[in-house]
């Protein structure tokens, strides 16, 4: 970790603090923090890299979208589901703009967003995200593909669990 912190410092001195040339070392440093489950440090380094990528390549670029996916995963791993939701929503919008509505990245984003909404107890949103993810998976992979089946299981679990909870709590 220390070696890459020093490498970033050298890059900053050489290229400036917001230059794209420091992204490689920031990526490595972020991965190190992530592997150590140091979520605050991983988040901070990824947010810094995202700001550079937004400025250099554009907020809706493939590089920024890939960073958003990483950042959302870090928020999710840190159990900061509200932040994960915000980032997944931005990522979904970016991927739809980049690739169209029927793309593997869009299916992934919808599935991940559904999971976060489920944890946040936004039942209707989770169901809608999963339903749309299933539709995209069928369009992209076909109905019998493993990814389609996985998203269908996530949808079924979310709906079943919500129905069970509603019965128990008298909200039917």
């Amino acid at each position: 970790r220390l070696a890459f912190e020093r490498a970033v410092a050298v890059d900053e001195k050489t290229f400036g603090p917001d230059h794209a040339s420091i992204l490689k070392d920031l990526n490595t440093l972020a991965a190190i923090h992530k592997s150590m489950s140091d979520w605050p440090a991983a988040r901070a380094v990824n947010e810094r890299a995202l700001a550079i990528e937004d400025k250099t390549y554009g907020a809706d670029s493939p590089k920024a979208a890939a960073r958003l996916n990483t950042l959302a995963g870090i928020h999710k791993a840190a159990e900061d589901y509200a932040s994960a939701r915000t980032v997944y929503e931005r990522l979904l919008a970016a991927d739809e703009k980049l690739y169209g509505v029927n793309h593997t990245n869009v299916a992934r984003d919808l599935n991940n967003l559904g999971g976060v909404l489920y944890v946040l107890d936004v039942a209707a949103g989770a169901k809608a995200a999963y339903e749309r993810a299933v539709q995209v998976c069928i369009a992209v992979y076909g109905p019998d593909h493993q990814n389609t089946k996985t998203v269908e299981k996530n949808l079924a679990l979310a709906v079943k669990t919500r129905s069970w909870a509603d019965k128990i709590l008298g909200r039917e």
Side-chain angles (χ1 to χ4, degrees), residues 38-172:
D38 184 352
W39 307 125
R43 180 182 306 136
V45 173
N46 272 287
E47 286 174 345
R48 179 168 177 214
L50 178 61
I52 294 169
E53 288 166 342
D54 283 350
K55 179 180 169 190
T56 304
Y57 306 111
D60 293 327
S61 71
K63 288 183 184 275
R67 175 77 55 197
L68 287 168
N69 190 49
T70 300
L71 185 57
I74 289 168
H75 285 302
K76 192 171 159 184
E79 299 180 359
D80 182 0
Y81 299 111
S83 295
R85 175 185 182 174
T86 300
V87 176
Y88 278 131
E89 287 170 342
R90 178 178 167 195
L91 175 59
L92 175 60
D95 280 343
E96 286 175 334
K97 185 175 180 181
L98 285 166
Y99 306 112
V101 295
N102 286 329
H103 189 273
T104 55
N105 288 9
V106 172
R108 176 204 61 205
D109 301 343
L110 287 164
N111 185 58
N112 288 335
L113 179 59
V116 168
L117 292 171
Y118 177 77
V119 171
L120 289 171
D121 201 28
V122 182
K127 183 176 182 271
Y130 282 137
E131 285 173 341
R132 193 162 153 233
V134 168
Q135 292 170 350
V136 174
C137 284
I138 289 170
V140 173
Y141 300 116
D144 298 322
H145 192 274
Q146 182 60 42
N147 290 358
T148 304
K149 297 297 182 191
T150 297
V151 177
E152 286 174 339
K153 287 177 188 174
N154 291 344
L155 171 60
L157 179 63
V159 171
K160 181 180 179 183
T161 304
R162 175 59 43 214
S163 296
W164 177 80
D166 286 345
K167 284 180 186 174
I168 296 294
L169 297 172
R171 295 188 297 207
E172 295 189 281

